[in-house]
Amino acid sequence: MIERFNDGRDWFFERRFGLFVHWGLYALPGWHEQTQWRQNVARSDYVKLAERFNPVNYDPDAWLDLVESAGMEYLCLTTKHHDGFCLWDTKCTDFNVMRSPYGKDLVGMLAAACHRRGVKLCLYYSVADWHHPNYPNEGRHHELPGPEPGDEPNWPKYIEFLKAQIRELCTNYGELGGIWWDMNVPGQVDPSISAMIRELQPNAIVNDRGFDQGDYGTPERHIPEGRAFEKRTEACQSLGVHSWGYKHDEDYFSDKFMMQSLDRILAMGGNYLLNVGPKADGTIGEQETRALRRLGEWYGKVKESFAASPAPGLTSSADVLLTQLGRNVYVHLFRDPEATGVVLTNFGALPKKAMLLNTGQELEVRLDRGARMWHQPEYLRIRGLPVNELLDEVMVVKLEFEGGPV
Ligand code: GLC
């Protein structure tokens, strides 16, 4: 069983699906959020992007409309990515949105809309910084190869800056759902930073990429082994294959792939943070918009199965994941079923009813020793799956029991 916090951070267990947003100057070239590093752009050139950053079509409510149609209940925005550009009115550096032609606090606008609409807001913050003169760029993981002219590498001073920025974020934008660290220098431990967040934002969860082990793990772009998480987990993935930030020639995962991935993580008891990279004008592209709406359509139909807890012990079948809530068991067919019937081996209880959540249709269930697997103990057969009709969705079957499933 995953341990709860037993405090305000438990929102994490109620709101399981969130939108990740990677947005910053890098949306202008539209290649990758790490353009500066991966394409060796000189800092003196990169900073010029700020002179052109003017997202006149930025409308936080339009983002939140999309959050709602996807069925998501929280959002995490990159307030400062590795390039060091800050999307809020920070007093700690001039490299921020207030100095761009746009000149408005993007974080503040989003926070106001989130609070108004009851969407939890989490803030991403990169420790690695390719702009701040005190960040010691030494060519380590996600760092510039070395200091640039004028830099004064000084870790304690950088940490002072970082803490002052986190203090701003934790003070000026109302209640936060969490702080999402990224790219700390390996081995840099400092419990005072989480302590400050706790003090200022007691309901904020803190991920495991910062200065201590944090509240939860963050597997990125993959599905960990196993059938149920033992620790608090929030997986992250992007709709785009190549980049987290806006990419003009992005390739996108299929709806089916996304449903399979989302279904697996949620059925294993994790949360899911799904990313989009808005364009430089502030809008979310057509393909991402369409995909989120489509995912939401499916998610809305099967969502009750994720309020249930992982029940990996109920069957030995490897092709399904089960979740259970009281007398109901949900069968997640995250791998395309090969046939019109599936079997749950070692599952010896007969439900009174089986329903395909996707369509509402009732399915036939029987306990059997079958002809093909005649030597097995009795197992459950679920029959009549519309495998040739319902090709574009992950199916979830609800089994309702009179007494209980075991
Ligand atoms: C990777 C990417 C980084 C992105 C992060 C999101 O670490 O390198 O750019 O922000 O994933 O999890």
Side-chain angles (χ1 to χ4, degrees):
M1 267 306 260
I2 296 176
E3 209 186 320
R4 299 245 160 180
F5 298 105
N6 294 318
D7 60 31
R9 290 173 290 171
D10 278 348
W11 71 261
F12 184 71
F13 301 104
E14 311 304 326
R15 299 170 180 239
R16 308 271 309 282
F17 184 24
L19 183 71
F20 208 175
V21 182
H22 272 68
W23 196 35
L25 296 183
Y26 42 80
L28 281 162
W31 183 77
H32 189 275
E33 75 279 3
Q34 296 176 14
T35 303
Q36 185 184 351
W37 184 53
R38 296 194 182 189
Q39 294 192 312
N40 264 319
V41 181
R43 188 190 293 157
S44 50
D45 286 332
Y46 191 84
V47 297
K48 290 188 191 137
L49 292 173
E51 295 163 17
R52 291 201 281 128
F53 189 65
N54 194 12
V56 287
N57 295 323
Y58 173 54
D59 174 6
D61 276 300
W63 288 14
L64 296 185
D65 287 345
L66 211 46
V67 161
E68 272 168 28
S69 38
M72 294 164 160
E73 291 170 296
Y74 66 106
L75 185 153
C76 181
L77 171 72
T78 52
T79 58
K80 185 194 86 162
H81 204 259
H82 314 332
D83 63 5
F85 184 72
C86 301
L87 300 191
W88 77 101
D89 183 5
T90 175
K91 305 298 176 221
C92 307
T93 169
D94 285 346
F95 196 41
N96 76 63
V97 65
M98 305 309 286
R99 306 278 171 139
S100 72
Y102 191 66
K104 284 187 267 179
D105 185 330
L106 299 173
V107 176
M109 292 164 73
L110 183 64
C114 283
H115 297 321
R116 183 163 28 83
R117 296 176 63 157
V119 173
K120 281 267 175 218
L121 177 65
C122 301
L123 302 179
Y124 166 112
Y125 186 97
S126 169
V127 180
D129 194 310
W130 303 331
H131 183 271
H132 197 275
N134 294 138
Y135 181 85
N137 277 292
E138 294 174 12
R140 295 168 294 196
H141 199 43
H142 288 79
E143 280 184 356
L144 300 183
E148 302 220 345
D151 280 354
E152 294 166 23
N154 183 326
W155 182 253
K157 270 180 102 171
Y158 179 71
I159 290 298
E160 242 175 75
F161 159 79
L162 172 147
K163 279 182 152 179
Q165 287 213 306
I166 293 295
R167 183 172 284 281
E168 285 180 344
L169 291 173
C170 287
T171 310
N172 298 340
Y173 301 100
E175 185 178 306
L176 298 181
I179 294 290
W180 212 100
W181 297 111
D182 200 16
M183 283 309 158
N184 188 14
V185 177
Q188 288 294 342
V189 177
D190 183 347
S192 75
I193 300 177
S194 276
M196 179 180 85
I197 298 170
R198 295 264 177 274
E199 187 200 316
L200 299 169
Q201 291 285 346
N203 301 336
I205 47 166
V206 176
N207 78 351
D208 64 346
R209 300 187 186 186
F211 298 87
D212 52 34
Q213 61 189 18
D215 295 326
Y216 62 98
T218 53
E220 180 176 314
R221 286 200 189 268
H222 80 281
I223 295 166
E225 291 298 310
R227 305 173 67 73
F229 290 114
E230 279 157 22
K231 292 190 174 144
R232 294 182 287 253
T233 300
E234 180 198 63
C236 55
Q237 170 64 288
S238 191
L239 283 173
V241 173
H242 303 281
S243 173
W244 297 80
Y246 173 67
K247 181 168 179 60
H248 62 84
D249 60 347
E250 185 61 281
D251 299 316
Y252 296 94
F253 288 111
S254 70
D255 298 339
K256 187 67 163 293
F257 174 87
M258 286 315 317
M259 286 174 201
Q260 290 173 330
S261 168
L262 181 57
D263 183 66
R264 284 177 76 176
I265 295 289
L266 293 180
M268 286 166 68
N271 282 20
Y272 203 96
L273 195 54
L274 180 59
N275 179 74
V276 296
K279 298 183 196 174
D281 73 350
T283 59
I284 296 174
E286 205 183 297
Q287 304 217 48
E288 289 163 307
T289 299
R290 191 208 55 76
L292 288 178
R293 290 200 179 124
R294 176 68 185 99
L295 267 182
E297 216 180 285
W298 167 80
Y299 183 66
K301 292 186 286 188
V302 301
K303 189 176 176 186
E304 66 168 273
S305 67
F306 302 121
S309 308
L314 290 181
T315 180
S316 53
S317 297
D319 291 339
V320 299
L321 286 168
L322 301 186
T323 53
Q324 182 186 357
L325 183 63
R327 294 177 175 185
N328 298 333
V329 170
Y330 299 89
V331 185
H332 299 260
L333 300 169
F334 67 88
R335 276 192 197 119
D336 280 345
E338 291 166 1
T340 52
V342 291
V343 300
L344 302 191
T345 47
N346 289 97
F347 193 104
L350 184 67
K352 70 168 196 270
K353 190 175 168 198
M355 192 195 33
L356 183 62
L357 286 181
N358 308 60
T359 59
Q361 79 195 74
E362 197 164 334
L363 300 174
E364 186 194 325
V365 266
R366 57 168 79 160
L367 276 182
D368 211 336
R369 197 161 269 122
R372 187 170 164 209
M373 289 159 33
W374 54 273
H375 55 281
Q376 294 248 7
E378 262 192 346
Y379 51 82
L380 186 71
R381 291 173 63 189
I382 304 172
R383 309 190 62 226
L385 293 168
V387 283
N388 297 313
E389 293 79 28
L390 192 62
L391 297 169
D392 58 351
E393 290 194 1
V394 166
M395 295 188 222
V396 181
V397 180
K398 177 180 186 178
L399 305 177
E400 293 172 42
F401 291 87
E402 207 74 70
V406 276

